């Protein structure tokens, strides 16, 4: 048990989302966004209990191989083909506090850039030992880790010759439904990053850099797997100093 | 100079993409054997308290075309108006109700569908009762940041009329974009991402 396990759960409202930091809804270079972006203004509302609360998942739901994409779909004794890597990091909130017990789900293409999905038609081969999904729940420091193979870049029908950089999709639950986040992780040094219309939906270069995981030589396991570190920041909560309303919140 | 705040910036959102099912509903897209089942497919069991209902809807783009590759997630209170969350300080929610569900929009008919219970009322920040509602969150290819909205119920007209969130909608004809229509035990709501019938989406 953590020394902090007796701490009261946090119940404050969340910091307002900085929607200039995130991509806008309409980003025409990413063509699908044209018809799938709302055109009316969002209705702004300080979070109510419906958004301050959220589902929290127990560590018991996580299977032994859930965070090992090299083996969790492989036949016994076999493993996925590709550059073996470890992806690890911490989930923090905007105040720098670790987010404990956060469920992370990740998915990706195989080493050749091929997804295991019936809608996918790319001619690169399926890896019979690679499914492409994994999940983990953060520990008391907000830490997580998984093993996988580095995904390959992937062509897609947007512009005539658009390719996605190597990337891993992340879905994150914090403690409140307003923290719900889906994003993508990219790899340090990939020249494809700056050509990608999906990356470039994000207006601020510093925000894009927040999605690029550096090679973490220190955590690389000799003769086994290199490591990349990807920290994730979820919305912070206000302290509850003045949140105790007489009416109840 | 003043002190620095030392706040971190939130990780920017990116689209969930067309293959979101691989990560969130792998069994739905025939990746079997990794997880026992897909998370969020079952919200209730035999002991769950409350009125059983089905909540369903379709998502349509700005050309009224079905969005068949979305994932919908819902979050709601139990029949007594309590959330099954550690941040719920008003009491203990029904342990037989998860409050959270996840469903892909169907590749053929475009519907997402949840077997759930009618939620009780929960208070707004100033204590006024909010009408029974379900929080809905949508991600898909082409959506850069997940869209939040709410599902209200057509047979709660009295409560809807004084709901603090619905009262804030300036263009009153848009209120109905958040109200699911009842037919027996089934409530149906179409979500329009864009256009004249555009759903009210929230920044919360």
């Amino acid at each position: 048990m953590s020394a902090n396990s007796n701490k009261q759960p946090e119940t404050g409202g969340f910091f307002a989302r900085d929607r200039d930091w995130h991509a806008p809804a309409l980003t025409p270079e990413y063509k699908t966004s044209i018809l799938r972006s709302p055109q009316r203004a969002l209705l702004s509302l300080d979070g109510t209990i419906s958004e301050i609360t959220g589902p929290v998942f127990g560590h018991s739901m996580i299977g032994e191989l859930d965070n090992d994409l090299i083996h969790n779909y492989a036949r016994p004794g076999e493993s996925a083909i590709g550059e073996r890597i470890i992806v690890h990091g911490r989930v923090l909130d905007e105040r720098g506090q670790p987010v404990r017990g956060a469920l992370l789900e990740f998915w990706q293409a195989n080493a050749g850039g091929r997804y295991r999905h019936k809608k996918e038609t790319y001619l690169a081969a399926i890896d019979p030992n690679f499914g492409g999904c994994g999940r983990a729940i953060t520990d008391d420091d907000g830490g997580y880790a998984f093993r996988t193979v580095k995904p390959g870049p992937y062509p897609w029908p947007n512009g005539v010759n658009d390719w996605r950089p190597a990337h891993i999709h992340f879905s994150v639950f914090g403690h409140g439904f307003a923290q719900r986040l889906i994003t993508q992780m990219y790899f340090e040094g990939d020249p494809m990053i700056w050509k990608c219309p999906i990356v470039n939906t994000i207006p601020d270069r510093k925000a894009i850099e927040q999605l690029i995981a550096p090679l973490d030589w220190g955590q690389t396991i000799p003769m086994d797997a290199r490591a990349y570190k990807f920290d994730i920041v979820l919305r912070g909560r206000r302290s509850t100093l003045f949140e105790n309303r007489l009416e109840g919140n | 100079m003043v002190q620095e705040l030392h706040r971190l910036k939130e990780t920017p959102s990116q689209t969930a993409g067309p293959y979101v099912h691989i990560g969130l509903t792998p069994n739905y897209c025939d990746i079997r054997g990794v997880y026992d089942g897909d998370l969020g497919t079952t919200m209730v069991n035999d002991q769950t308290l409350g009125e059983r209902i089905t909540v369903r809807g379709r998502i349509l783009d700005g050309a009224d075309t079905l969005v068949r590759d979305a994932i919908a997630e819902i979050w709601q209170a139990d029949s007594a108006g309590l959330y099954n969350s550690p941040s719920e300080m008003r009491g203990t929610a029904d342990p037989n109700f998860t409050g959270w569900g996840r469903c892909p929009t169907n590749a053929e008919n475009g519907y997402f569908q949840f077997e759930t219970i009618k939620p009780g009322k929960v208070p707004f920040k100033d204590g006024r009762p909010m009408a029974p509602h379900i929080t809905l969150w949508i991600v898909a290819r082409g959506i850069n940041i997940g869209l939040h909205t709410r599902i209200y119920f057509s047979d709660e007209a009295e409560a809807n009329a004084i709901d603090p969130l619905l009262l804030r909608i300036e263009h009153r004809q848009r209120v109905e974009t958040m109200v699911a229509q009842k037919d027996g035990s089934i409530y149906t709501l179409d979500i329009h991402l864009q256009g004249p019938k555009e759903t009210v989406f929230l920044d919360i």
Side-chain angles (χ1 to χ4, degrees):
Chain A
M1 291 294 279
S2 142
N4 291 310
S5 58
N6 289 327
K7 246 177 95 172
Q8 286 288 313
E10 292 192 295
T11 55
F14 290 99
F15 298 160
R17 203 160 232 171
D18 180 353
R19 290 187 181 263
D20 295 326
W21 183 253
H22 290 280
L26 175 61
T27 49
E29 298 299 306
Y30 174 27
K31 293 181 179 177
T32 315
S33 77
I34 295 174
L35 283 173
R36 293 188 173 192
S37 47
Q39 293 172 334
R40 310 286 191 105
L42 302 179
L43 179 65
S44 294
L45 190 79
D46 188 29
T48 72
I49 191 161
S50 301
E51 298 84 27
I52 288 168
T53 56
V56 172
F57 301 88
H59 288 267
S60 60
M61 68 170 260
I62 300 292
E64 196 184 352
L65 291 178
D66 282 8
N67 69 342
D68 184 351
L69 283 68
I70 294 178
H71 295 107
N72 70 10
Y73 193 79
R75 292 177 287 230
E78 299 187 12
S79 57
I81 289 175
E83 299 178 37
R84 296 162 60 90
I85 59 170
I86 289 164
V87 177
H88 75 106
R90 294 176 75 204
V91 180
L92 306 168
D93 71 15
E94 290 167 294
R95 293 190 293 164
Q97 306 289 317
V99 182
R100 306 178 174 90
L103 173 65
L104 303 179
E105 296 162 287
F106 2 89
W107 67 102
Q108 62 169 90
N110 70 22
R114 175 72 188 259
Y115 284 95
R116 184 177 286 278
H117 194 285
K118 53 179 175 281
K119 277 185 61 190
E120 154 77 281
T121 55
Y122 183 32
L123 47 77
I126 286 275
D127 178 346
N129 289 309
F130 187 73
C133 61
R135 61 188 178 186
I137 290 183
T138 58
D139 61 24
D140 280 350
D141 294 321
Y144 75 91
F146 62 96
R147 257 179 202 273
T148 188
V149 292
K150 191 175 174 189
Y154 161 79
W156 59 301
N158 186 63
V160 172
N161 190 23
D162 277 337
W163 291 70
R164 298 301 324 283
H167 63 281
I168 299 176
H169 298 264
F170 277 70
S171 165
V172 192
F173 287 85
H175 297 164
F177 207 58
Q179 288 176 305
R180 196 76 183 82
L181 181 74
I182 281 183
T183 189
Q184 302 183 29
M185 181 202 108
Y186 304 97
F187 292 85
E188 179 184 6
D190 186 345
M192 309 283 293
I193 293 171
W194 306 102
K195 298 177 187 293
C196 175
I198 288 179
V199 171
N200 290 327
T201 59
I202 299 173
D204 189 325
R205 187 181 171 101
K206 281 200 171 64
I208 293 173
E209 287 169 349
Q210 201 175 347
L211 299 181
I212 304 174
L215 179 65
D216 184 355
W217 203 244
Q219 285 294 331
T220 289
I221 304 176
M223 306 301 286
D224 182 346
R226 292 177 306 146
Y228 285 86
K229 185 163 195 284
F230 185 53
D231 289 338
I232 296 166
V233 180
L234 300 181
R235 294 171 68 179
R237 274 182 200 270
R238 294 194 295 266
S239 311
T240 48
L241 305 174
F242 293 95
E243 298 262 352
N244 299 317
R245 290 176 171 73
L246 293 174
E247 301 86 352
N249 194 4
Chain B
M1 288 295 286
V2 297
Q3 294 183 2
E4 285 184 39
L5 272 171
H6 294 298
R7 293 264 160 76
L8 303 174
K9 293 298 288 183
E10 187 188 8
T11 297
S13 174
Q14 290 260 268
T15 180
Y19 308 129
V20 58
H21 313 99
I22 294 174
L24 301 193
T25 56
N27 290 283
Y28 172 81
C29 68
D30 282 332
I31 298 175
R32 305 199 182 268
V34 181
Y35 310 145
D36 289 340
D38 290 336
L39 268 191
T41 49
T42 307
M43 301 176 68
V44 296
N45 63 32
D46 292 345
Q47 275 81 51
T48 306
L49 303 173
E51 177 191 346
R52 302 299 169 113
I53 61 170
T54 299
V55 175
R56 62 175 201 161
R58 303 177 301 173
I59 303 171
L60 298 104
D61 72 10
D64 271 348
T65 297
L66 287 176
V67 175
R68 302 169 199 267
D69 52 10
I71 296 259
E73 290 185 8
I74 61 170
W75 173 240
Q76 65 166 95
D78 69 9
S79 59
L82 294 170
Y83 282 97
N84 191 348
S85 161
S87 304
E88 171 61 85
M89 306 307 285
R90 299 168 302 146
T92 304
D94 181 353
N96 293 303
F97 183 60
T98 68
W100 176 76
R102 171 186 280 168
C103 186
T105 51
N106 186 280
E108 277 80 46
N109 64 24
Y111 276 100
F112 61 80
Q113 181 160 314
F114 297 97
E115 305 305 325
T116 183
I117 51 109
K118 187 104 169 272
K121 289 178 186 170
V122 300
F124 193 58
K125 295 175 68 68
D126 57 10
R128 282 181 290 164
M130 292 193 279
H133 64 272
I134 292 174
T135 297
L136 174 68
W137 185 73
I138 297 163
V139 292
R141 172 174 68 101
I143 297 176
N144 290 326
I145 182 165
L147 295 168
H148 280 279
T149 184
R150 280 185 183 179
I151 301 171
Y152 288 87
F153 301 93
S154 63
D155 57 339
E156 297 283 348
E158 214 170 296
N160 292 344
I162 56 166
D163 178 81
L165 184 147
L166 294 178
L167 283 173
R168 290 191 48 178
I169 299 174
E170 181 187 356
H171 303 96
R172 299 307 296 164
Q173 74 280 11
R174 299 193 70 206
V175 168
E176 68 186 51
T177 69
M178 300 176 91
V179 180
Q181 297 303 310
K182 180 180 169 75
D183 180 7
S185 64
I186 300 173
Y187 292 86
T188 304
L189 179 66
D190 281 348
I191 306 296
H192 292 267
L193 298 179
Q194 193 183 87
K197 291 179 281 186
E198 186 174 306
T199 299
V200 174
F201 294 106
L202 306 173
D203 182 16
I204 45 175

